[in-house]
């Protein structure tokens, strides 16, 4: 893109013109609340990413179908499109905000005004800080030709739908092993890897035990870094938390599928449990769901032991860890007490141990983690 005469620089995108309904939902009160949240998010990013070097500008919401965001140095305004904040999740909004703050940093801190908007100085800054520096389009996972591994895994998961329990278990195990072996090969071409992030599940004001266990499962067994991040639900005017995954696009695709599959399967198992025992209410629902996730986690841990015995040992991906630290330089770890381990938890755990991952993943995306041959 090029700079406007007034010094404006922004991320160009064409917003959908056939979806006007969400734009009408942003009332004056919601817009005021959203601007307060954006100012608070600006302050947080300034402290954690830019080390308090930026002076807060005027943040405005504008009606634009050509830009997601725009930084104008002459008037010191940072604009975000109303279409952006109503059509996209908070994670995308924050990435666009970082993008425009990087433009501000290049102008006001580095004093660079001679290069083009997305010139060498800007690109280098975004690379160092882990910011999406693309000049156009909505921030999203990059693709680097890893779609074939996702397709192969999807085919194996289709085989896992076999009514024969042993065949289904073998196919699901083969899919997991394929991802492990793929990560071994990936290490040989480390420079070609690219990392991205994704928010999965719905933003909620309370994170349940089953959701925390599911996040642990993804981080431990599916080659992604996980973190619960604060978000703002613009159309509701409420704060919440959402699970963020960081990893290569192929691993993100797999982890997103597993998250959706296990969430839906756990709810289905609870419905079956209620019918089977004639339960009327949902008093033990959260406890049962926590048991389901715990049981599935135990199953994967047993499979991991088998993989280690076969010579597959995963070693932390330093490049992904660096990407994660750049996105989240200040991480706070909190311990939570688990729920009471009653009969509902035990029955849920038994059901979770019998879950077999099945087909349903779309082959579009890009892996994390280094796997090294085990010592003989």
């Amino acid at each position: 893109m090029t700079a406007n005469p007034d010094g404006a620089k922004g991320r160009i995108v064409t917003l959908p013109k056939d979806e006007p309904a969400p734009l009408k939902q942003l009332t004056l009160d919601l817009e005021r609340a959203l601007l307060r949240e954006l100012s608070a998010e600006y302050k947080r990013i300034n402290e954690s990413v830019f080390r308090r070097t930026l002076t807060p500008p005027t943040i405005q919401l504008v009606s634009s179908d050509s830009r997601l965001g725009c930084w104008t140095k002459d008037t010191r305004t940072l604009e975000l499109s109303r279409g952006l904040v109503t059509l996209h999740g908070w994670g995308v909004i924050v990435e666009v905000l970082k993008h425009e703050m990087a433009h501000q940093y290049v102008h006001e801190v580095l004093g660079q005004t001679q290069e083009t908007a997305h010139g060498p100085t800007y690109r280098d800054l975004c690379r160092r800080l882990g910011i999406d520096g693309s000049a156009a389009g909505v921030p999203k996972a990059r693709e680097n030709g890893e779609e074939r591994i996702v397709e192969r895994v999807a085919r194996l998961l289709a085989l896992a739908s076999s009514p024969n329990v042993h065949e289904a278990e073998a196919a699901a195990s083969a899919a997991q092993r394929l991802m492990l072996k793929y990560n071994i090969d990936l290490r040989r071409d480390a420079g070609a890897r690219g990392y991205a992030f994704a928010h999965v599940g719905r933003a909620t004001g309370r994170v349940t035990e089953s959701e925390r266990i599911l996040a642990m499962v993804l981080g431990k067994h599916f080659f992604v870094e996980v973190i619960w991040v604060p978000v703002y639900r613009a159309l509701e005017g409420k704060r919440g938390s959402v699970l963020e995954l960081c990893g290569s696009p192929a691993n993100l695709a797999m982890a997103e599928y597993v998250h959706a599959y296990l969430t839906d399967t756990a709810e289905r198992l609870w419905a079956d449990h209620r019918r089977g025992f004639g339960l009327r209410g949902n008093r033990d629902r959260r406890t049962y769901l926590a048991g389901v996730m715990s049981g599935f986690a135990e199953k994967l841990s047993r499979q991991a032991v088998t993989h280690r015995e076969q010579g597959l040992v995963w070693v932390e991906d330093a490049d992904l860890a660096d990407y994660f630290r750049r996105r989240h330089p200040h991480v706070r770890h909190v311990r939570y007490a688990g729920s009471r381990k009653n009969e509902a938890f035990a029955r849920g755990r038994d059901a979770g141990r019998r879950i077999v991952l099945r087909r349903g993943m779309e082959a579009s995306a890009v892996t994390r983690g280094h796997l090294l041959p085990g010592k003989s």
Side-chain angles (χ1 to χ4, degrees):
M1 63 157 286
T2 58
N4 290 337
D6 60 357
K9 297 177 185 286
R11 189 178 185 124
I12 299 176
V13 67
T14 300
L15 296 172
K17 295 184 178 180
D18 57 345
E19 299 183 29
L23 300 181
K24 299 179 181 179
Q25 298 179 31
L26 196 60
T27 65
L28 182 60
D29 287 342
L30 286 175
E31 188 162 308
R32 288 171 177 167
L34 175 57
L35 285 171
R36 288 195 296 269
E37 290 298 323
L38 288 171
S39 295
E41 188 67 31
Y42 179 100
K43 180 180 179 181
R44 185 191 67 79
I45 296 171
N46 190 20
E47 292 177 350
S48 63
V49 178
F50 294 98
R51 302 184 180 182
R52 302 181 182 179
T53 55
L54 296 176
T55 301
T58 299
I59 299 178
Q60 298 178 342
L61 294 176
V62 297
S63 298
S64 172
D65 59 0
S66 62
R67 282 194 175 95
L68 293 175
C70 181
W71 158 252
T72 306
K73 66 181 179 64
D74 293 342
T75 58
R76 299 200 73 257
T77 56
L78 195 159
E79 299 176 350
L80 295 178
S81 163
R82 289 187 177 88
L84 165 70
V85 300
T86 56
L87 294 174
H88 298 284
W90 189 250
V92 173
I93 297 170
V94 170
E95 289 307 301
V96 175
L97 181 61
K98 288 180 182 178
H99 180 101
E100 304 308 332
M101 290 173 70
H103 280 303
Q104 180 189 0
Y105 186 93
V106 169
H107 284 159
E108 298 189 343
V109 178
L110 301 182
Q112 176 55 260
T113 60
Q114 302 303 312
E115 296 178 355
T116 59
H118 299 85
T121 301
Y122 180 83
R123 293 196 301 270
D124 180 67
L125 174 69
C126 290
R127 180 187 57 78
R128 289 190 290 106
L129 298 181
I131 296 174
D132 186 337
S134 303
V138 177
K140 62 180 181 179
R142 289 175 291 169
E143 299 185 5
N144 63 358
E146 296 184 7
E147 294 90 345
R148 274 181 286 181
I149 185 65
V150 179
E151 293 172 355
R152 292 177 63 191
V153 170
R155 286 196 293 268
L156 284 171
L157 292 179
L159 294 176
S161 298
S162 168
N164 184 298
V165 175
H166 299 294
E167 290 180 359
E169 288 280 2
S173 179
Q176 188 179 11
R177 179 180 172 83
L178 177 60
M179 292 298 292
L180 293 179
K181 293 182 67 176
Y182 184 75
N183 279 277
I184 295 176
D185 296 336
L186 189 65
R187 186 172 181 268
R188 301 170 186 166
D189 191 21
R193 282 199 311 274
Y195 300 112
F197 77 96
H199 287 180
V200 295
R202 62 183 184 86
T204 179
R206 177 181 179 181
V207 180
T208 65
E209 183 180 3
S210 63
E211 292 171 326
R212 296 188 190 282
I213 297 175
L214 176 52
M216 178 274 294
V217 166
L218 297 179
K220 186 175 181 180
H221 299 287
F222 291 94
F223 317 109
V224 292
E225 295 284 355
V226 299
I227 184 172
W228 290 96
V229 296
V231 296
Y232 184 72
R233 293 170 282 179
L235 296 178
E236 302 174 52
K238 296 180 180 180
R239 296 186 180 95
S241 298
V242 71
L243 181 62
E244 178 175 301
L245 312 177
C246 294
S248 69
N251 283 337
L252 284 179
M254 183 67 178
E256 288 182 79
Y257 166 70
V258 171
H259 182 277
Y261 183 87
L262 291 180
T263 299
D264 292 343
T265 299
E267 290 289 356
R268 177 179 56 78
L269 290 172
W270 165 246
D272 293 344
H273 176 76
R274 279 188 61 191
R275 285 193 296 270
F277 286 85
L279 303 179
R280 296 182 178 179
N282 285 309
R283 185 184 65 178
D284 288 328
R285 172 178 166 274
R286 290 180 177 176
T287 303
Y288 182 90
L289 296 181
V292 170
M293 298 304 176
S294 180
F296 188 72
E298 292 176 6
K299 177 178 182 176
L300 290 185
S301 293
R302 290 195 300 271
Q303 290 179 353
V305 172
T306 300
H307 290 144
R308 286 196 295 270
E309 292 173 349
Q310 294 172 347
L312 296 174
V313 180
W314 174 74
V315 179
E316 181 182 13
D317 181 353
D319 293 334
L320 175 58
D322 180 64
Y323 172 84
F324 182 80
R325 282 193 298 269
R326 281 185 280 123
R327 277 193 60 79
H328 303 287
H330 305 291
V331 177
R332 183 167 60 97
H333 298 275
V334 180
R335 290 183 177 274
Y336 291 89
S339 63
R340 54 195 176 94
K341 304 301 186 287
N342 59 9
E343 183 180 357
F345 182 92
R347 292 188 180 278
R349 183 175 57 194
D350 290 341
R353 290 168 176 166
R354 296 191 295 272
I355 290 178
V356 177
L357 288 177
R358 304 182 189 278
R359 66 183 174 186
M361 182 174 58
E362 294 183 359
S364 63
V366 232
T367 263
R368 160 234 192 190
H370 295 327
L371 283 169
L372 302 177
K375 296 181 179 179
S376 56

